[in-house]
Amino acid sequence: MKAVLIGIASGLLIILIVGIMKWLNKRIIYGLTLTGIGFLYVGFTWTNINSFILTAVQSLVFLFISYYGIMNSMALLAAGYFLHGIWDLVFDLFPYSTLIPPHYDLFCLSIDFTFGIYLLILNKRNPAMKSVFLG
């Protein structure tokens, strides 16, 4: 439960900090973040070839979701965060899930869902965000 609370609090703090920095393009920031969290798994699991291959593939999937989300849709970025949260839970089903830090799955799931909900709200408030150059 502690990991979930820390994840939600971290997500809200990041949302606040990015929101204060009005000159930043939110779609690019959250797209880059989604890409980065996908690649974290590669860093945690590179010592096992099977887990490395699996996490490398998932990181590329999130890279492409991020790219198309940045270029086209805040809602797609939100979906990417929800999918990554589900990935956090699914990864526990694999035998090499012990390679990630304890409670990382719950922490990451909670921050992913916090970002996903925020991006859906942001998309609903400003559906005209069609250009990557709009904040």
Side-chain angles (χ1 to χ4, degrees):
M1 185 64 170
K2 190 179 200 180
V4 172
L5 294 175
I6 293 171
I8 293 170
S10 298
L12 292 174
L13 181 62
I14 292 166
I15 289 167
L16 178 66
I17 291 169
V18 170
I20 289 171
M21 298 179 195
K22 301 281 184 200
W23 64 92
L24 295 177
N25 182 304
K26 289 178 180 60
R27 198 180 314 169
I28 292 174
I29 293 295
Y30 290 106
L32 291 171
T33 303
L34 180 59
T35 299
I37 61 176
F39 279 94
L40 279 174
Y41 275 88
V42 176
F44 290 141
T45 64
W46 65 271
T47 57
N48 177 289
I49 191 69
N50 292 330
S51 67
F52 174 76
I53 291 168
L54 176 67
T55 57
V57 169
Q58 73 80 31
S59 66
L60 292 174
V61 168
F62 287 107
L63 171 76
F64 287 114
I65 291 172
S66 297
Y67 174 78
Y68 287 106
I70 289 169
M71 298 307 289
N72 299 304
S73 168
M74 194 74 92
L76 182 57
L77 283 177
Y81 277 102
F82 291 123
L83 286 172
H84 193 269
I86 293 167
W87 164 257
D88 295 321
L89 292 180
V90 169
F91 190 75
D92 282 343
L93 302 175
F94 293 96
Y96 26 82
S97 65
T98 57
L99 295 172
I100 63 171
H103 310 293
Y104 181 76
D105 53 349
L106 295 176
F107 165 78
C108 197
L109 168 101
S110 61
I111 201 167
D112 288 343
F113 276 44
T114 301
F115 285 162
I117 291 167
Y118 171 70
L119 293 177
L120 285 178
I121 292 168
L122 199 60
N123 188 60
K124 186 171 176 86
R125 292 167 96 196
N126 192 0
M129 290 181 121
K130 298 294 182 206
S131 169
V132 71
F133 301 106
L134 295 176

